[in-house]
């Protein structure tokens, strides 16, 4: 039996069921008799990314078979250079991002044809600077960020019209300081993250209304301690990431009650089978498990040594450092330093 002041039982630290969450992630590819496994086939690559980030955060990144994961991810790359969510699925920026993130975490980016990825991503930007998610043309601030993030891993952001992306992102900013999915779209915490992260990588955070946006994000905390994504909506564990990541970049994480947020995240755990749900009483999934642990990391949960998460790339900070991409920190406006 392990001992320790903060450890209530084996594998539990300050209420965080570490061992059960690891077992939960390990079990996800063994549930072939469950309909949910087949209904989420299109998310398989992203599911691996979410699971791998969760494992990294609790120091169990070697849980999955590295070679098998890399081989599977490589099999999802299409002839156009992009990746689908599963073998044989159409290429999309969302899954291309997840695939690249997985390969970077395994230090295996050199195992794919990077030039084809760069060509696929840069080819989705139109003459106005706006970026589509795939060949069908849906445009969204998510895709603007993803294109910048992916190409930054290849040192190829110069293949994009970055001024056009900055203009598109800034035109998507609203009177409340938040950002929408496109110009005129309602402010939403997840879109705020994508816009702030894109501007951070490009060194253009001067385009953010720091005070107004920080206030809007802090107002996302509700009575139970959790965070919502926009006014009048329910709290959800995933916003522990979407809100705190932006507040971290803005230097304003202390504007929310982090202890109460940690308690909310812990209350959404499945203490029997592992995993974290969107809110207490619901069914756990790997998406909320990942972002719940990210939220705990950003909130400074101190009962277990969680890895530091990079608030721009949603990957362990030490891996982003290894990739030479923590330079976004040096691009934060100097006027923010004394406030």
């Amino acid at each position: 039996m392990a001992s320790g002041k903060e450890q209530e039982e084996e594998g539990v630290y300050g209420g965080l069921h570490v061992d059960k969450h690891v077992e939960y992630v390990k079990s996800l590819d063994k549930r072939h008799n469950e309909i949910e496994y087949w209904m989420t086939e299109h998310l398989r690559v992203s599911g691996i990314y979410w699971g791998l980030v969760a494992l990294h955060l609790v120091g169990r990144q070697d849980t999955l078979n590295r070679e098998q994961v890399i081989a599977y991810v490589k099999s999802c790359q299409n002839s156009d250079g992009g990746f689908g969510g599963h073998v044989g699925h159409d290429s999309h920026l969302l899954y291309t991002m997840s695939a690249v993130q997985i390969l970077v975490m395994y230090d295996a980016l050199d195992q794919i044809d990077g030039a084809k990825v760069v060509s696929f991503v840069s080819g989705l930007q139109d003459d106005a600077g706006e970026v589509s998610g795939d060949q069908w043309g849906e445009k969204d601030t998510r895709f603007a960020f993803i294109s910048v993030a992916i190409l930054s891993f290849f040192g190829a952001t110069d293949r994009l019209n970055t001024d056009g992306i900055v203009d598109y992102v800034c035109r998507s900013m609203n009177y409340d300081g938040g950002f929408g999915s496109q110009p005129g779209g309602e402010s939403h915490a997840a879109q705020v993250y994508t816009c702030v992260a894109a501007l951070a990588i490009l060194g253009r955070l001067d385009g953010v209304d720091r005070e107004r946006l920080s206030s809007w994000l802090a107002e996302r905390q509700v009575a139970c301690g959790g965070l919502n994504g926009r006014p009048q909506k329910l709290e959800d564990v995933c916003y522990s990431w979407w809100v705190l990541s932006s507040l971290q970049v803005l230097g304003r994480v202390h504007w929310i009650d982090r202890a109460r947020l940690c308690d909310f995240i812990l209350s959404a755990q499945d203490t029997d089978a592992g995993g974290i749900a969107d809110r207490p009483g619901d069914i756990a999934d790997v998406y909320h498990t990942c972002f719940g642990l990210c939220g705990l990391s950003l909130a400074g949960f101190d009962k277990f040594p969680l890895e530091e998460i990079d608030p721009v790339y949603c990957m362990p900070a030490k891996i982003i450092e290894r990739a030479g991409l923590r330079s976004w920190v040096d691009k934060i406006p100097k006027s923010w330093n004394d406030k």
Side-chain angles (χ1 to χ4, degrees), residues 276-293:
I276 303 175
D278 56 350
R279 58 185 61 88
D282 287 350
I283 297 175
D285 59 72
V286 68
Y287 173 88
H288 288 94
T289 301
C290 171
F291 292 128
L293 291 171

Side-chain angles (χ1 to χ4, degrees), residues 26 61 100 135 171 177 201 226 254 268 281 305 319 322 325:
K26 283 175 60 178
Q61 58 270 23
V100 168
Q135 63 177 317
R171 284 190 291 112
I201 295 172
H254 60 286
I319 289 178
R322 183 183 72 195
L325 295 175

Side-chain angles (χ1 to χ4, degrees), residues 186-235:
E186 179 185 7
S187 293
H188 189 285
Q191 305 297 154
V192 167
Y193 158 72
T194 63
C195 292
V196 169
L199 295 175
I201 295 172
L202 296 175
R204 292 298 307 275
L205 285 169
D206 55 292
V208 173
D209 187 330
R210 186 191 186 203
E211 302 305 313
R212 218 174 257 189
L213 179 55
S214 297
S215 295
W216 187 86
L217 289 167
E219 290 170 357
R220 304 279 60 77
Q221 190 162 39
V222 298
C224 67
L227 302 167
N228 62 22
R230 49 198 168 121
Q232 306 302 315
K233 295 297 181 179
L234 292 175
E235 66 282 354

Side-chain angles (χ1 to χ4, degrees), residues 45-292:
V45 170
S46 291
I48 293 173
Y49 157 70
W50 295 323
L52 188 57
V53 169
L55 293 171
H56 266 280
L57 289 178
V58 298
R60 307 285 183 84
Q61 58 270 23
D62 295 329
T63 297
L64 303 181
N65 184 303
R66 178 182 185 274
E67 299 310 317
Q68 287 181 5
V69 172
I70 291 172
Y72 170 74
V73 170
K74 289 171 63 177
S75 73
C76 294
Q77 187 173 27
N78 295 312
S79 59
D80 59 8
F83 289 77
H86 185 53
V87 180
H89 288 219
D90 291 344
S91 297
H92 196 287
L93 275 183
L94 291 171
Y95 310 121
T96 303
M97 176 72 165
S98 293
V100 168
Q101 288 172 303
I102 292 166
L103 294 173
V104 170
M105 283 189 277
Y106 278 127
D107 197 20
L109 199 58
D110 60 350
Q111 294 196 31
I112 59 171
D113 187 338
K116 291 182 69 174
V117 178
V118 171
S119 178
F120 169 73
V121 174
S122 59
L124 292 172
Q125 186 176 36
D126 65 19
D127 293 340
E130 299 176 8
V131 181
S132 300
D134 58 20
Q135 63 177 317
W136 309 113
E138 178 190 9
K139 295 182 173 65
D140 190 316
T141 47
R142 290 176 301 165
F143 309 142
F145 157 65
I146 290 172
S147 67
V148 171
I150 291 174
L151 294 195
S152 70
F153 286 115
F154 294 97
T157 55
D158 59 345
R159 291 286 298 275
L160 294 169
N161 172 4
T162 55
D163 287 340
I165 287 176
V166 171
D167 175 69
Y168 179 64
V169 167
C170 289
R171 284 190 291 112
S172 300
M173 184 168 63
N174 295 312
Y175 71 92
D176 53 17
F179 293 84
S181 60
Q182 58 190 345
E186 179 185 7
S187 293
H188 189 285
Q191 305 297 154
V192 167
Y193 158 72
T194 63
C195 292
V196 169
L199 295 175
I201 295 172
L202 296 175
R204 292 298 307 275
L205 285 169
D206 55 292
V208 173
D209 187 330
R210 186 191 186 203
E211 302 305 313
R212 218 174 257 189
L213 179 55
S214 297
S215 295
W216 187 86
L217 289 167
E219 290 170 357
R220 304 279 60 77
Q221 190 162 39
V222 298
C224 67
L227 302 167
N228 62 22
R230 49 198 168 121
Q232 306 302 315
K233 295 297 181 179
L234 292 175
E235 66 282 354
D236 188 317
V237 162
C238 71
Y239 293 113
S240 306
W241 162 255
W242 302 121
V243 172
L244 280 196
S245 57
S246 297
L247 284 174
Q248 178 75 14
V249 175
L250 295 168
R252 294 284 170 73
V253 171
H254 60 286
W255 279 24
I256 67 159
D257 188 330
R258 287 167 286 176
R260 288 176 61 230
L261 175 61
C262 288
D263 287 343
F264 170 71
I265 296 170
L266 295 176
S267 73
Q269 296 177 105
D270 183 333
T271 57
D272 293 322
I276 303 175
D278 56 350
R279 58 185 61 88
D282 287 350
I283 297 175
D285 59 72
V286 68
Y287 173 88
H288 288 94
T289 301
C290 171
F291 292 128

